[in-house]
Amino acid sequence: MNWSTTSLAALHTFALPAQATRYLELHTFEDIENLVMSSPDWNSIRILGGGSNTVFLEDQSMPIVRMCIKGRAVLEQDESSALVRAAAGENWDEFVAWSLEQGLFGLENLSLIPGTVGACPIQNIGAYGVEVCQCIETVDVFDPNNPTKGIQSIPMSECSFGYRDSKFKHEWSHLLITSVTFRLKKTFEPVLNYAGLTASASAQALRDEVIRLRQAKLPDPAKIPNAGSFFKNPVISKSQFQVLKDKHPEIPSFVAGDQIKVPAAWLLDQCGFKGQWHHEFGCYEKQPLVMIHNSTKTNPIGVKKKHFLEWLSIIQDKVEHHFGILLLPEPDLVFTY
Ligand SMILES: Cc1cc2nc3c(=O)[nH]c(=O)nc-3n(C[C@H](O)[C@H](O)[C@H](O)COP(=O)(O)OP(=O)(O)OC[C@H]3O[C@@H](n4cnc5c(N)ncnc54)[C@H](O)[C@@H]3O)c2cc1C
């Protein structure tokens, strides 16, 4: 296998200047077979897609394997829907655009989410009132612990999809996702239950509106490095929420099953983090939930890691002090403690 040394700065959207000493790209299914035949230590391998939910806080000696396998096709269709498969290395937003060009609908609210198709089931990507699990039929995986089984298809119903969650984040985190199969509709049924969405004329109009809203609110990682929403929205018990509501009657909330979800952005805003900086890290002035990295400051990775962890604990401590809630990061922070 052709392992190489590479900079990870351009391979994750937070753009920290970490180096990888063992880096490999998989472009074909044959590349997977070759990797299997080289008998690597799979437990130590980190799979990478578009790097938009991953933050490399230090140089990496573990092998990093980037899924670059491309391909998308309509497998079968009937009058009302089509089964579509996309390979793991496909760019997510290009796949959404392509699906609309085929006259297939359901993914338009998920436009402009960065990353790859292979990563979309892992945290069950969601935006503007839609979660990707609503359109997933199967997730196709390779199990390094059972290589003789080849590629296996896991039905959507077995993936335990939840809010930014699935089994792929937990007991199935060792699986290599090779492609995802979607059931898409032939009739456009607009989902407009998210405040600000109005475009019901066509799926393309809705996609354009979602893109406009996202661009107005979120920084473009190519210009301002970031990893999207940095903290998960905390889900708390009804009794804990009632205590908070008594103290802060204006606190926004959403019902999440028999619990309550509180927007992390509101908690950060109340603590005054909007537009605040600690060395090269800040909370975006239009949306404090997005942590940004000033990559023009050229500190070495070790110094940036120190500043980042300081900033993270400043934020977590202040929110916990004010609201009794520990905010948890959404992206994968890759470092040794
Ligand atoms: C500006 C911005 C906006 C965002 N907006 C949203 C949003 O609206 N909604 C949302 O849900 N998310 C959002 N995100 C988060 C991110 O885009 C998604 O989580 C996306 O699915 C990550 O894809 P990726 O390919 O970049 O994953 P990576 O960061 O490369 O990987 C993420 C995780 O998946 C694993 N992984 C990746 N590919 C595979 C594979 N083929 N097989 C097995 N494991 C794999 C990695 O090991 C890692 O643990 C946003 C991020 C940014 C930067």
Side-chain angles (χ1 to χ4, degrees), residues 5 21 37 57 74 124-125 134 182 189 291 326 336:
T5 299
T21 45
M37 283 189 325
L57 283 166
V74 177
N124 182 23
I125 56 170
Q134 294 168 248
F182 302 85
E189 293 166 15
M291 197 190 285
L326 176 64
T336 43

Side-chain angles (χ1 to χ4, degrees), residues 220-247:
D220 176 356
K223 295 182 185 141
I224 304 177
N226 73 87
S229 301
F230 199 82
F231 294 101
K232 292 181 196 167
N233 290 323
V235 178
I236 59 177
S237 68
K238 284 184 175 160
S239 55
Q240 189 183 358
F241 178 71
Q242 195 50 56
V243 173
L244 279 177
K245 181 110 181 128
D246 291 343
K247 273 199 211 159

Side-chain angles (χ1 to χ4, degrees), residues 29-181:
F29 285 91
E30 204 183 353
D31 288 344
I32 300 181
E33 282 168 20
N34 290 337
L35 179 60
V36 173
M37 283 189 325
S38 72
S39 310
D41 172 10
W42 284 96
N43 290 331
S44 72
I45 288 181
R46 170 163 285 273
I47 306 297
L48 187 62
S52 62
N53 213 29
T54 302
V55 177
F56 289 109
L57 283 166
E58 58 193 15
D59 291 338
Q60 302 297 317
S61 55
M62 72 173 96
I64 293 181
V65 172
R66 188 153 78 99
M67 275 302 273
C68 302
I69 301 177
K70 304 272 190 200
R72 53 202 180 196
V74 177
L75 301 181
E76 58 181 62
Q77 49 189 314
D78 57 28
E79 274 177 17
S80 60
S81 70
L83 215 50
V84 174
R85 179 170 295 155
E90 283 286 330
N91 174 280
W92 171 257
D93 189 53
E94 287 173 13
F95 171 63
V96 174
W98 175 84
S99 68
L100 298 197
E101 282 161 24
Q102 310 309 304
L104 298 173
F105 310 117
L107 301 177
E108 47 281 353
N109 292 47
L110 303 178
S111 293
L112 210 65
I113 296 180
T116 53
V117 166
C120 81
I122 293 174
Q123 71 152 4
N124 182 23
I125 56 170
Y128 294 94
V130 172
E131 289 184 335
V132 74
C133 66
Q134 294 168 248
C135 295
I136 289 179
E137 186 92 352
T138 58
V139 179
D140 308 316
V141 301
F142 174 79
D143 183 351
N145 297 335
N146 266 311
T148 51
K149 285 198 170 170
I151 307 289
Q152 302 169 71
S153 271
I154 304 178
M156 176 272 177
S157 57
E158 291 178 18
C159 299
S160 300
F161 286 118
Y163 166 67
R164 298 290 193 274
D165 202 23
S166 74
K167 274 193 187 166
F168 299 104
K169 278 198 141 183
H170 308 285
E171 60 261 49
W172 290 348
S173 62
H174 63 292
L175 298 179
L176 179 64
I177 296 173
T178 55
S179 58
V180 182
T181 303

